């Protein structure tokens, strides 16, 4: 009848690495049902390659990924894939131009059908904090709707400018806080749309 069951296991005692996949595939209809269990230590090399594919240069990361997912659909129609489960990132460090931009990054992604929700993400950035939310949903084959919010509190301005410019010259002192709300659709003109505020505290930009 063209139905096949498969199971893949990859277990390693090193850093508790786990990869388990199992499910069904109908080679005639190309319909599939796959379950995944992943526990993996992300490396800077892996993430640098991923960011390059996403056209985000000079950025890399490392940390822990744990996922429990179920994906169904047809191989002939990737845009119709349905997913459920969660992906958790923890103890992540984000690098920009080989310098630490943020650490202690943690977030949980919930997947339901063709919708993705990040109910809360949090990180430490240059002695301050960054947190927020994000949502995205595939509306049709050409449209992805998204919305999010970012909040920044007491980020050290001299440290941030030093990381972003990779230059020893930096602002003398100060910090800033702010918030930004954004939304839009992929391929929509003038997207994303957003609004926000930035509050500077005792900034001195002399070098």
């Amino acid at each position: 009848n063209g139905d096949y069951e498969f199971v893949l296991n990859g277990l390693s005692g090193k850093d508790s690495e786990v990869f388990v996949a199992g499910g069904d595939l109908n080679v005639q209809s190309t319909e599939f049902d796959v379950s995944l269990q992943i526990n993996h230590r992300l490396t800077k090399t892996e993430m640098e390659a991923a960011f390059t594919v996403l056209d985000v240069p000079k950025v890399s990361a490392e940390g822990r990924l744990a996922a429990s997912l179920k994906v169904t659909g047809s191989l002939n129609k990737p845009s119709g894939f349905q997913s459920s489960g969660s992906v958790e990132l923890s103890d992540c460090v984000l690098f920009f131009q080989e310098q630490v931009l943020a650490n202690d990054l943690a977030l949980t992604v919930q997947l339901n059908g063709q919708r993705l929700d990040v109910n809360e993400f949090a990180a430490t950035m240059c002695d301050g904090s960054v947190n927020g939310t994000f949502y995205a949903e595939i509306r049709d084959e050409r449209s992805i709707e998204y919305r999010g919010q970012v909040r920044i509190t007491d980020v050290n301005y001299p440290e941030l400018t030093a990381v972003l410019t990779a230059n020893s010259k930096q602002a003398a002192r100060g910090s800033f806080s702010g918030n930004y709300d954004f939304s839009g659709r992929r391929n929509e003109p003038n997207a994303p749309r957003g609004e926000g505020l930035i509050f500077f505290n005792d900034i001195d930009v002399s070098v």
Side-chain angles (χ1 to χ4, degrees):
N1 59 7
D3 286 322
Y4 291 87
E5 294 184 359
F6 65 91
V7 176
L8 299 173
N9 290 284
L11 304 176
S12 173
K14 183 180 179 181
D15 213 12
S16 301
E17 296 281 318
V18 175
F19 178 84
V20 179
D24 302 292
L25 171 65
N26 187 298
V27 295
Q28 295 177 353
S29 67
T30 72
E31 293 182 349
F32 68 91
D33 183 332
V34 177
S35 295
L36 299 170
Q37 297 287 333
I38 303 171
N39 195 332
H40 176 58
R41 171 63 66 178
L42 300 170
T43 67
K44 288 180 65 177
T45 302
E46 292 170 343
M47 296 306 297
E48 185 173 2
F51 281 117
T52 299
V53 170
L54 295 172
D55 197 25
V56 183
K58 303 179 181 180
V59 177
S60 60
E62 61 185 16
R64 169 64 65 184
L65 179 148
S68 177
L69 301 171
K70 182 176 182 180
V71 184
T72 62
S74 171
L75 296 177
N76 291 331
K77 192 177 180 181
S79 61
F81 288 3
Q82 299 289 316
S83 58
S84 62
S86 64
V87 178
E88 181 179 347
L89 295 177
S90 60
D91 298 326
C92 290
V93 181
L94 186 66
F95 301 90
F96 181 73
Q97 300 183 125
E98 299 300 321
Q99 298 190 73
V100 174
L101 177 61
N103 52 30
D104 298 327
L105 172 64
L107 63 86
T108 299
V109 179
Q110 297 291 338
L111 300 170
N112 185 9
Q114 293 190 313
R115 177 177 173 126
L116 175 154
D117 283 283
V118 179
N119 293 323
E120 182 76 18
F121 67 84
T124 299
M125 177 186 288
C126 301
D127 295 331
S129 64
V130 179
N131 53 50
T133 62
F134 181 76
Y135 137 89
E137 185 170 7
I138 299 175
R139 293 298 189 180
D140 55 51
E141 292 185 358
R142 293 179 297 177
S143 177
I144 298 177
E145 181 180 281
Y146 57 88
R147 182 172 64 250
Q149 180 185 69
V150 179
R151 297 179 297 277
I152 301 172
T153 306
D154 295 332
V155 170
N156 185 292
Y157 186 65
E159 286 191 23
L160 180 63
T161 55
V163 171
L164 296 181
T165 62
N167 195 317
S168 59
K169 293 183 179 180
Q170 55 183 316
R173 66 171 184 268
S175 65
F176 69 94
S177 302
N179 60 73
Y180 180 64
D181 298 317
F182 61 92
S183 63
R185 288 176 178 265
R186 190 185 69 173
N187 299 328
E188 183 180 58
N190 302 318
R193 301 178 302 275
E195 61 180 14
L197 295 170
I198 297 179
F199 303 94
F200 293 98
N201 180 34
D202 194 28
I203 292 289
D204 182 353
V205 297
S206 62
V207 294

